[in-house]
mmCIF file of all heavy atoms in Angstrom:
data_model
loop_
_atom_site.group_PDB
_atom_site.id
_atom_site.type_symbol
_atom_site.label_atom_id
_atom_site.label_comp_id
_atom_site.label_asym_id
_atom_site.label_seq_id
_atom_site.Cartn_x
_atom_site.Cartn_y
_atom_site.Cartn_z
ATOM 1 N N LYS A 704 -28.290 0.983 -53.205
ATOM 2 C CA LYS A 704 -28.889 1.105 -54.478
ATOM 3 C C LYS A 704 -29.659 -0.287 -54.962
ATOM 4 O O LYS A 704 -30.620 -0.154 -55.729
ATOM 5 C CB LYS A 704 -27.898 1.358 -55.569
ATOM 6 C CG LYS A 704 -27.380 2.821 -55.385
ATOM 7 C CD LYS A 704 -26.352 3.198 -56.409
ATOM 8 C CE LYS A 704 -25.823 4.661 -56.191
ATOM 9 N NZ LYS A 704 -24.759 4.946 -57.180
ATOM 10 N N LEU A 705 -29.029 -1.361 -54.657
ATOM 11 C CA LEU A 705 -29.649 -2.748 -55.090
ATOM 12 C C LEU A 705 -30.974 -2.847 -54.319
ATOM 13 O O LEU A 705 -32.014 -3.133 -54.908
ATOM 14 C CB LEU A 705 -28.711 -3.854 -54.635
ATOM 15 C CG LEU A 705 -29.226 -5.224 -54.898
ATOM 16 C CD1 LEU A 705 -29.374 -5.366 -56.314
ATOM 17 C CD2 LEU A 705 -28.283 -6.235 -54.130
ATOM 18 N N ALA A 706 -31.075 -2.529 -52.982
ATOM 19 C CA ALA A 706 -32.320 -2.628 -52.278
ATOM 20 C C ALA A 706 -33.353 -1.590 -52.847
ATOM 21 O O ALA A 706 -34.511 -2.098 -53.118
ATOM 22 C CB ALA A 706 -32.118 -2.282 -50.932
ATOM 23 N N GLN A 707 -32.843 -0.450 -53.214
ATOM 24 C CA GLN A 707 -33.962 0.549 -53.764
ATOM 25 C C GLN A 707 -34.449 0.060 -55.069
ATOM 26 O O GLN A 707 -35.709 0.164 -55.286
ATOM 27 C CB GLN A 707 -33.277 1.855 -53.910
ATOM 28 C CG GLN A 707 -34.132 3.003 -54.298
ATOM 29 C CD GLN A 707 -33.392 4.333 -54.586
ATOM 30 O OE1 GLN A 707 -32.131 4.249 -54.624
ATOM 31 N NE2 GLN A 707 -34.074 5.376 -54.572
ATOM 32 N N SER A 708 -33.505 -0.485 -56.009
ATOM 33 C CA SER A 708 -34.011 -0.954 -57.181
ATOM 34 C C SER A 708 -34.979 -2.098 -57.110
ATOM 35 O O SER A 708 -35.876 -2.368 -57.919
ATOM 36 C CB SER A 708 -32.860 -1.455 -58.041
ATOM 37 O OG SER A 708 -32.024 -0.365 -58.408
ATOM 38 N N LEU A 709 -34.869 -2.931 -55.995
ATOM 39 C CA LEU A 709 -35.733 -4.102 -55.850
ATOM 40 C C LEU A 709 -37.001 -3.708 -55.071
ATOM 41 O O LEU A 709 -37.857 -4.547 -54.783
ATOM 42 C CB LEU A 709 -34.890 -5.251 -55.285
ATOM 43 C CG LEU A 709 -33.785 -5.771 -56.034
ATOM 44 C CD1 LEU A 709 -32.894 -6.793 -55.221
ATOM 45 C CD2 LEU A 709 -34.306 -6.441 -57.315
ATOM 46 N N GLY A 710 -37.013 -2.474 -54.651
ATOM 47 C CA GLY A 710 -38.287 -2.073 -53.889
ATOM 48 C C GLY A 710 -38.328 -2.586 -52.496
ATOM 49 O O GLY A 710 -39.300 -2.839 -51.873
ATOM 50 N N MET A 711 -37.262 -2.723 -51.788
ATOM 51 C CA MET A 711 -37.166 -3.256 -50.353
ATOM 52 C C MET A 711 -36.169 -2.383 -49.585
ATOM 53 O O MET A 711 -35.322 -1.583 -50.184
ATOM 54 C CB MET A 711 -36.651 -4.718 -50.388
ATOM 55 C CG MET A 711 -35.312 -4.973 -50.983
ATOM 56 S SD MET A 711 -34.758 -6.778 -50.837
ATOM 57 C CE MET A 711 -35.890 -7.701 -51.813
ATOM 58 N N SER A 712 -36.214 -2.613 -48.336
ATOM 59 C CA SER A 712 -35.279 -1.854 -47.510
ATOM 60 C C SER A 712 -33.898 -2.461 -47.510
ATOM 61 O O SER A 712 -33.711 -3.608 -47.873
ATOM 62 C CB SER A 712 -35.765 -1.826 -45.936
ATOM 63 O OG SER A 712 -35.677 -3.119 -45.451
ATOM 64 N N GLU A 713 -33.035 -1.674 -47.180
ATOM 65 C CA GLU A 713 -31.684 -2.147 -47.052
ATOM 66 C C GLU A 713 -31.455 -3.276 -46.083
ATOM 67 O O GLU A 713 -30.755 -4.382 -46.400
ATOM 68 C CB GLU A 713 -30.594 -1.057 -46.576
ATOM 69 C CG GLU A 713 -29.145 -1.379 -46.744
ATOM 70 C CD GLU A 713 -28.245 -0.242 -46.219
ATOM 71 O OE1 GLU A 713 -28.713 0.918 -46.274
ATOM 72 O OE2 GLU A 713 -27.033 -0.529 -45.922
ATOM 73 N N GLU A 714 -32.137 -3.296 -45.037
ATOM 74 C CA GLU A 714 -32.124 -4.316 -43.931
ATOM 75 C C GLU A 714 -32.753 -5.643 -44.699
ATOM 76 O O GLU A 714 -32.216 -6.724 -44.384
ATOM 77 C CB GLU A 714 -32.983 -3.951 -42.758
ATOM 78 C CG GLU A 714 -32.272 -2.915 -41.965
ATOM 79 C CD GLU A 714 -32.502 -1.332 -42.479
ATOM 80 O OE1 GLU A 714 -33.324 -1.275 -43.344
ATOM 81 O OE2 GLU A 714 -31.569 -0.708 -42.303
ATOM 82 N N GLU A 715 -33.925 -5.591 -45.337
ATOM 83 C CA GLU A 715 -34.390 -6.692 -46.085
ATOM 84 C C GLU A 715 -33.434 -7.372 -47.042
ATOM 85 O O GLU A 715 -33.233 -8.576 -47.108
ATOM 86 C CB GLU A 715 -35.671 -6.272 -46.717
ATOM 87 C CG GLU A 715 -36.913 -5.959 -45.800
ATOM 88 C CD GLU A 715 -37.980 -5.485 -46.671
ATOM 89 O OE1 GLU A 715 -37.879 -4.508 -47.407
ATOM 90 O OE2 GLU A 715 -39.207 -6.011 -46.525
ATOM 91 N N ALA A 716 -32.732 -6.501 -47.745
ATOM 92 C CA ALA A 716 -31.857 -6.972 -48.715
ATOM 93 C C ALA A 716 -30.640 -7.704 -48.076
ATOM 94 O O ALA A 716 -30.273 -8.846 -48.501
ATOM 95 C CB ALA A 716 -31.310 -5.751 -49.703
ATOM 96 N N LEU A 717 -30.158 -6.977 -47.020
ATOM 97 C CA LEU A 717 -29.076 -7.635 -46.233
ATOM 98 C C LEU A 717 -29.496 -9.073 -45.774
ATOM 99 O O LEU A 717 -28.731 -10.033 -45.665
ATOM 100 C CB LEU A 717 -28.539 -6.721 -45.190
ATOM 101 C CG LEU A 717 -27.747 -5.509 -45.681
ATOM 102 C CD1 LEU A 717 -27.585 -4.540 -44.663
ATOM 103 C CD2 LEU A 717 -26.420 -6.048 -46.233
ATOM 104 N N ALA A 718 -30.661 -9.070 -45.106
ATOM 105 C CA ALA A 718 -31.124 -10.390 -44.553
ATOM 106 C C ALA A 718 -31.301 -11.341 -45.550
ATOM 107 O O ALA A 718 -30.860 -12.602 -45.337
ATOM 108 C CB ALA A 718 -32.466 -10.029 -43.858
ATOM 109 N N LYS A 719 -31.849 -11.016 -46.857
ATOM 110 C CA LYS A 719 -32.026 -12.024 -47.868
ATOM 111 C C LYS A 719 -30.659 -12.509 -48.334
ATOM 112 O O LYS A 719 -30.458 -13.839 -48.464
ATOM 113 C CB LYS A 719 -32.764 -11.413 -48.952
ATOM 114 C CG LYS A 719 -32.935 -12.340 -50.203
ATOM 115 C CD LYS A 719 -33.954 -13.513 -49.638
ATOM 116 C CE LYS A 719 -34.258 -14.304 -50.924
ATOM 117 N NZ LYS A 719 -34.984 -15.644 -50.477
ATOM 118 N N MET A 720 -29.645 -11.648 -48.485
ATOM 119 C CA MET A 720 -28.319 -12.092 -48.831
ATOM 120 C C MET A 720 -27.665 -12.959 -47.711
ATOM 121 O O MET A 720 -26.949 -14.009 -48.027
ATOM 122 C CB MET A 720 -27.555 -10.847 -49.170
ATOM 123 C CG MET A 720 -28.052 -10.193 -50.559
ATOM 124 S SD MET A 720 -27.028 -8.750 -50.956
ATOM 125 C CE MET A 720 -25.713 -9.499 -51.725
ATOM 126 N N ALA A 721 -27.831 -12.655 -46.531
ATOM 127 C CA ALA A 721 -27.305 -13.393 -45.450
ATOM 128 C C ALA A 721 -27.925 -14.811 -45.387
ATOM 129 O O ALA A 721 -27.193 -15.730 -45.171
ATOM 130 C CB ALA A 721 -27.488 -12.654 -44.089
ATOM 131 N N GLU A 722 -29.165 -14.870 -45.709
ATOM 132 C CA GLU A 722 -29.932 -16.177 -45.768
ATOM 133 C C GLU A 722 -29.255 -17.031 -46.825
ATOM 134 O O GLU A 722 -29.096 -18.200 -46.663
ATOM 135 C CB GLU A 722 -31.399 -15.906 -45.958
ATOM 136 C CG GLU A 722 -32.335 -17.128 -45.990
ATOM 137 C CD GLU A 722 -33.658 -16.706 -46.411
ATOM 138 O OE1 GLU A 722 -34.271 -15.791 -45.852
ATOM 139 O OE2 GLU A 722 -34.294 -17.424 -47.306
ATOM 140 N N LEU A 723 -29.124 -16.441 -48.044
ATOM 141 C CA LEU A 723 -28.617 -17.167 -49.129
ATOM 142 C C LEU A 723 -27.185 -17.662 -48.794
ATOM 143 O O LEU A 723 -26.785 -18.784 -49.170
ATOM 144 C CB LEU A 723 -28.515 -16.377 -50.395
ATOM 145 C CG LEU A 723 -29.994 -16.142 -51.023
ATOM 146 C CD1 LEU A 723 -29.877 -15.077 -52.215
ATOM 147 C CD2 LEU A 723 -30.592 -17.377 -51.562
ATOM 148 N N GLU A 724 -26.464 -16.894 -48.198
ATOM 149 C CA GLU A 724 -24.987 -17.206 -47.790
ATOM 150 C C GLU A 724 -25.045 -18.460 -46.964
ATOM 151 O O GLU A 724 -24.302 -19.425 -47.065
ATOM 152 C CB GLU A 724 -24.388 -16.078 -47.089
ATOM 153 C CG GLU A 724 -23.844 -14.959 -47.971
ATOM 154 C CD GLU A 724 -22.942 -13.957 -47.321
ATOM 155 O OE1 GLU A 724 -22.895 -13.859 -46.006
ATOM 156 O OE2 GLU A 724 -22.170 -13.207 -48.021
ATOM 157 N N ALA A 725 -25.890 -18.291 -45.842
ATOM 158 C CA ALA A 725 -25.981 -19.503 -44.849
ATOM 159 C C ALA A 725 -26.553 -20.721 -45.525
ATOM 160 O O ALA A 725 -26.016 -21.755 -45.253
ATOM 161 C CB ALA A 725 -26.924 -19.058 -43.709
ATOM 162 N N GLU A 726 -27.542 -20.594 -46.361
ATOM 163 C CA GLU A 726 -28.174 -21.681 -46.893
ATOM 164 C C GLU A 726 -27.258 -22.469 -47.951
ATOM 165 O O GLU A 726 -27.310 -23.612 -47.928
ATOM 166 C CB GLU A 726 -29.389 -21.271 -47.690
ATOM 167 C CG GLU A 726 -30.302 -22.298 -48.292
ATOM 168 C CD GLU A 726 -31.580 -21.788 -48.901
ATOM 169 O OE1 GLU A 726 -31.902 -20.630 -48.569
ATOM 170 O OE2 GLU A 726 -32.066 -22.583 -49.779
ATOM 171 N N HIS A 727 -26.473 -21.714 -48.608
ATOM 172 C CA HIS A 727 -25.641 -22.240 -49.770
ATOM 173 C C HIS A 727 -24.138 -22.203 -49.486
ATOM 174 O O HIS A 727 -23.406 -22.629 -50.416
ATOM 175 C CB HIS A 727 -26.059 -21.729 -51.062
ATOM 176 C CG HIS A 727 -27.473 -21.881 -51.457
ATOM 177 N ND1 HIS A 727 -28.078 -23.124 -51.543
ATOM 178 C CD2 HIS A 727 -28.533 -21.020 -51.502
ATOM 179 C CE1 HIS A 727 -29.401 -23.080 -51.873
ATOM 180 N NE2 HIS A 727 -29.680 -21.740 -51.784
ATOM 181 N N ASN A 728 -23.739 -21.621 -48.359
ATOM 182 C CA ASN A 728 -22.326 -21.636 -47.939
ATOM 183 C C ASN A 728 -21.569 -20.962 -49.104
ATOM 184 O O ASN A 728 -20.597 -21.345 -49.520
ATOM 185 C CB ASN A 728 -21.769 -23.010 -47.745
ATOM 186 C CG ASN A 728 -20.440 -22.854 -46.997
ATOM 187 O OD1 ASN A 728 -20.128 -21.976 -46.344
ATOM 188 N ND2 ASN A 728 -19.593 -23.858 -47.249
ATOM 189 N N ILE A 729 -22.043 -19.740 -49.478
ATOM 190 C CA ILE A 729 -21.349 -18.968 -50.520
ATOM 191 C C ILE A 729 -21.286 -17.468 -49.911
ATOM 192 O O ILE A 729 -22.201 -17.075 -49.134
ATOM 193 C CB ILE A 729 -22.179 -18.861 -51.886
ATOM 194 C CG1 ILE A 729 -23.624 -18.383 -51.699
ATOM 195 C CG2 ILE A 729 -22.063 -20.265 -52.565
ATOM 196 C CD1 ILE A 729 -24.281 -18.031 -52.970
ATOM 197 N N GLN A 730 -20.426 -16.750 -50.488
ATOM 198 C CA GLN A 730 -20.242 -15.412 -50.038
ATOM 199 C C GLN A 730 -20.931 -14.479 -51.005
ATOM 200 O O GLN A 730 -20.514 -14.602 -52.246
ATOM 201 C CB GLN A 730 -18.780 -15.064 -49.861
ATOM 202 C CG GLN A 730 -18.551 -13.557 -49.284
ATOM 203 C CD GLN A 730 -17.149 -13.264 -48.988
ATOM 204 O OE1 GLN A 730 -16.200 -14.020 -49.308
ATOM 205 N NE2 GLN A 730 -16.898 -12.057 -48.557
ATOM 206 N N SER A 731 -21.744 -13.554 -50.584
ATOM 207 C CA SER A 731 -22.322 -12.620 -51.504
ATOM 208 C C SER A 731 -22.204 -11.212 -50.982
ATOM 209 O O SER A 731 -22.560 -10.251 -51.645
ATOM 210 C CB SER A 731 -23.767 -12.916 -51.792
ATOM 211 O OG SER A 731 -24.597 -12.955 -50.680
ATOM 212 N N LEU A 732 -21.895 -11.048 -49.647
ATOM 213 C CA LEU A 732 -21.652 -9.812 -49.097
ATOM 214 C C LEU A 732 -20.258 -9.573 -48.858
ATOM 215 O O LEU A 732 -19.558 -10.460 -48.475
ATOM 216 C CB LEU A 732 -22.307 -9.778 -47.667
ATOM 217 C CG LEU A 732 -23.938 -9.862 -47.736
ATOM 218 C CD1 LEU A 732 -24.462 -9.974 -46.330
ATOM 219 C CD2 LEU A 732 -24.508 -8.579 -48.421
#
Side-chain angles (χ1 to χ4, degrees):
K704 290 181 181 179
L705 180 64
Q707 183 180 19
S708 293
L709 296 173
M711 61 176 61
S712 70
E713 185 177 345
E714 292 75 23
E715 289 172 306
L717 286 168
K719 182 66 175 168
M720 292 178 80
E722 178 184 317
L723 289 171
E724 283 188 346
E726 185 179 339
H727 300 297
N728 196 28
I729 57 166
Q730 184 177 3
S731 59
L732 296 170

